[in-house]
Amino acid sequence: SWMTNQNVLSQIRVRLPYTLLIGLLSVLVSVVIGIPLGILAATNQYTWKDSLAIFMSLFCVSMPQFWFALILVMIFALRLGILPPVGIKTWTGYVLPIVSTAVGAIANIARQTRSSMLEVISQDYITTARAKGQKERNVIYRHALRNALNPIITIVGGIVAGVLGGTMVTEQIFSIPGIGSYLLTAVSARDYPVIRGSVLVI
């Protein structure tokens, strides 16, 4: 590092676990919430539940991540005082960063799940399963969801990369010593790496 005279690779090794932990937990939260939300919308098509799920998905996708993070800090940290506004000294410090990072991914997964489930539910084998007297829960989760997972898994793979990139904003707002905040600090300070006595300008 040109500014701190520290080895960049060693700094990355220290900071990478924080970024990976927040990113992977955000993806896990988005899958756990997004898939059931999409199933709920698909199984209640053209009802108020479907309309509410679509509206919430569009709202979450359109909402800037930094704005939502600041709203969370204002409500849960400053007004209610139940979560820390910055830092990760305890497990409670991870709650707001994970939620703010996962909200956009939840919307994307819910929309994709709804679309895939609607396509599968209209198939003949779903009608046959219902005609045989199987419970609706078994029809949805054992037959429909299993065949609708392929496009959902595909979009989750893309979301992993997007979430890891989105942690840059989250780490800066919540003062988390991860890769994202390290990168932003280095860029704003024009901190170029030094290789064998020469400055590598990127």
Side-chain angles (χ1 to χ4, degrees), residues 5-200:
N5 199 29
Q6 294 178 339
N7 186 275
V8 175
L9 184 58
S10 64
Q11 290 295 306
I12 291 176
R13 288 173 180 170
V14 173
R15 296 168 181 267
L16 185 60
Y18 297 108
T19 300
L20 289 179
L21 180 61
I22 294 175
L24 294 180
L25 287 179
S26 298
V27 173
L28 179 62
V29 169
S30 63
V31 170
V32 170
I33 297 177
I35 291 180
L37 185 61
I39 294 174
L40 178 66
T43 54
N44 295 276
Q45 188 180 17
Y46 303 131
T47 65
W48 67 269
K49 295 180 181 179
D50 185 24
S51 300
L52 180 61
I54 294 175
F55 172 77
M56 292 301 297
S57 298
L58 293 175
F59 178 75
C60 292
V61 168
S62 305
M63 182 171 48
Q65 182 181 342
F66 72 91
W67 178 82
F68 183 66
L70 294 176
I71 293 297
L72 290 178
V73 171
M74 183 180 68
I75 295 175
F76 293 99
L78 300 182
R79 292 193 177 181
L80 299 180
I82 58 178
L83 293 171
V86 294
I88 46 174
K89 294 181 179 180
T90 62
W91 67 268
T92 56
Y94 287 94
V95 175
L96 294 183
I98 290 173
V99 172
S100 62
T101 305
V103 63
I106 291 173
N108 287 326
I109 292 176
R111 292 167 63 193
Q112 181 61 56
T113 303
R114 177 183 181 275
S115 177
S116 300
M117 287 293 294
L118 287 177
E119 183 177 350
V120 170
I121 287 174
S122 62
Q123 299 297 320
D124 293 337
Y125 65 86
I126 298 297
T127 304
T128 302
R130 285 171 172 163
K132 289 181 178 180
Q134 293 194 24
K135 294 181 179 180
E136 185 67 16
R137 182 180 181 85
N138 291 335
V139 172
I140 295 299
Y141 288 96
R142 294 187 59 184
H143 298 284
L145 180 60
R146 182 180 299 177
N147 291 279
L149 278 178
N150 285 338
I152 299 173
I153 293 174
T154 302
I155 194 175
V156 169
I159 286 174
V160 170
V163 165
L164 290 177
T167 56
M168 183 181 301
V169 177
T170 304
E171 291 171 0
Q172 193 71 9
I173 292 176
F174 294 100
S175 299
I176 298 173
I179 296 295
S181 61
Y182 184 57
L183 177 62
L184 284 177
T185 302
V187 171
S188 60
R190 301 180 66 85
D191 185 11
Y192 302 120
V194 179
I195 300 179
R196 296 180 182 177
S198 302
V199 178
L200 176 63

